[in-house]
Amino acid sequence: MSKISYKKLLLRKKNKEAITCLTAYSDPIAKILDGKVDLILIGDSVGTTIYGMSNTRSVNLEIMKNHAKAVTKSVKKSMTIVDMPYKTYRSKREALKNAIEILKFSKADFIKIETDRSNIEIVKYLTSKKIKIVSHIGVTPQKYSDFSKIKSVGKTDKEIENLLKLAIDLQEAGSKFIVLECITIFAAKKITKKLSIPTIGIGSSNYCDGQVLVIDDILNFSPDKRKPKFIKNYTNISINISKAIEEFVKDVKLKKFPSSKNSYS
Ligand code: KIV
């Protein structure tokens, strides 16, 4: 199987075959995901999932570059998207410099930026420089220092109209995909119907052309963490990890590990 192309994903929008996307931050997870999902996102959610940060604002360019490289190194089939971290795309110049740096270093296919009306011109500018952009609208986590304050958007007519206009303008600015985060069913349906580029939803209903989730959430690495309702746990990996650790500790204490099989003579 060769690498999936953007053209093929555009056709999938027409044929209504949903596009799949999960995050990855490391080489082993990237290897498992490769070819199973269409898109792999090296999200700035790395800050909260891997580094224990309370939001994504402390994630910097170096963190994103290194995790992106770890992921893209072995990815042969899926397309890859890397997040531009907080305060790295405030002007056209800053955005271009940092986008080139991150893409050159990681060889990812797309960069994703959190967008609103204030940075449409930046999307247009980056596109004119041949940088492939994924825009992210609705709830944009870099705006929040406290994630418990996050609420869905697209409830009033005015909000829906603004989101729709923003999505259309971002498409015209050259975005290849638009991530819709925590947007109401009605608004997500309307936006998806209106656009010719695919929408990828997170907490935005199954009317989107595709879905993205954070891998740590579907695996349930942190069962104690309060999670938004759009997350579904597909397994409980923390139970398996705990079991393996308990067995290791027991074996070591009982001197069952290492056995002669694990030792050099
Ligand atoms: O950083 C991230 O993981 C994201 C989401 C869309 C999943 O931006």
Side-chain angles (χ1 to χ4, degrees), residues 50-80:
I50 304 291
Y51 292 92
M53 296 168 180
S54 52
N55 57 56
T56 53
R57 289 182 170 183
S58 305
V59 175
N60 60 31
L61 208 63
E62 283 314 298
I63 294 179
M64 288 315 300
K65 277 167 64 183
N66 289 327
H67 284 277
K69 195 170 186 172
V71 168
T72 56
K73 205 169 105 261
S74 328
V75 170
K76 305 268 184 290
K77 299 165 190 158
S78 306
M79 296 192 99
T80 52

Side-chain angles (χ1 to χ4, degrees), residues 9-265:
L9 292 180
L10 269 183
L11 280 176
R12 296 260 298 272
K13 177 178 174 88
K14 258 198 173 157
N15 302 338
K16 300 204 181 314
E17 189 192 337
I19 296 166
T20 53
C21 179
L22 282 169
T23 64
Y25 318 103
S26 68
D27 177 63
I29 296 288
K31 280 181 178 142
I32 297 171
L33 289 180
D34 192 22
K36 293 190 182 74
V37 290
D38 302 304
L39 299 163
I40 298 177
L41 169 68
I42 306 99
D44 61 355
S45 50
V46 67
T48 51
T49 54
I50 304 291
Y51 292 92
M53 296 168 180
S54 52
N55 57 56
T56 53
R57 289 182 170 183
S58 305
V59 175
N60 60 31
L61 208 63
E62 283 314 298
I63 294 179
M64 288 315 300
K65 277 167 64 183
N66 289 327
H67 284 277
K69 195 170 186 172
V71 168
T72 56
K73 205 169 105 261
S74 328
V75 170
K76 305 268 184 290
K77 299 165 190 158
S78 306
M79 296 192 99
T80 52
I81 306 169
V82 57
D83 257 339
M84 291 281 281
Y86 185 54
K87 288 191 176 170
T88 60
Y89 51 97
R90 290 166 293 181
S91 66
K92 289 180 184 173
R93 218 173 126 174
E94 182 182 62
L96 182 64
K97 179 189 159 288
N98 290 327
I100 289 175
E101 189 173 329
I102 214 165
L103 288 173
K104 263 200 174 155
F105 188 79
S106 68
K107 310 265 185 300
D109 297 299
F110 303 93
I111 58 156
K112 176 163 82 61
I113 67 179
E114 296 188 6
T115 35
D116 55 27
R117 295 223 67 82
S118 72
N119 57 12
I120 297 173
E121 284 304 313
I122 291 177
V123 172
K124 210 182 267 178
Y125 180 67
L126 293 178
T127 307
S128 76
K129 301 289 179 192
K130 306 262 174 296
I131 291 174
K132 295 183 206 144
I133 310 285
V134 176
S135 292
H136 181 157
I137 68 167
V139 167
T140 45
Q142 288 173 9
K143 285 213 172 79
Y144 295 84
S145 56
D146 180 358
F147 283 177
S148 69
K149 300 248 171 359
I150 289 179
K151 284 195 174 65
S152 61
V153 293
K155 288 184 181 120
T156 63
D157 288 350
K158 189 80 204 141
E159 257 182 22
I160 296 168
E161 192 189 315
N162 288 343
L163 282 166
L164 182 62
K165 173 124 186 49
L166 176 61
I168 292 169
D169 290 348
L170 287 166
Q171 172 174 279
E172 274 166 16
S175 306
K176 301 287 185 197
F177 298 94
I178 302 200
V179 170
L180 308 184
E181 179 156 352
C182 293
I183 289 180
T184 56
I185 302 170
F186 183 73
K189 186 178 177 185
K190 206 164 175 173
I191 294 167
T192 302
K193 219 170 153 194
K194 192 82 187 167
L195 296 186
S196 54
I197 57 167
T199 59
I200 311 290
I202 173 161
S204 299
S205 87
N206 62 3
Y207 285 105
C208 294
D209 299 303
Q211 297 296 327
V212 57
L213 280 179
V214 168
I215 186 115
D216 295 53
D217 290 335
I218 71 160
L219 301 180
N220 204 10
F221 260 106
S222 312
D224 300 335
K225 206 173 93 182
R226 249 191 92 228
K227 299 190 189 80
K229 74 172 189 180
F230 63 76
I231 286 167
K232 181 171 173 185
N233 298 142
Y234 284 85
T235 184
N236 213 330
I237 203 80
S238 65
I239 291 178
N240 290 340
I241 295 175
S242 294
K243 257 197 208 150
I245 294 166
E246 277 157 24
E247 278 175 37
F248 166 77
V249 168
K250 199 168 123 202
D251 278 0
V252 170
K253 287 188 174 167
L254 291 172
K255 293 269 180 199
K256 277 184 161 174
F257 179 85
S259 70
S260 57
K261 265 204 293 193
N262 310 111
S263 307
Y264 299 100
S265 49

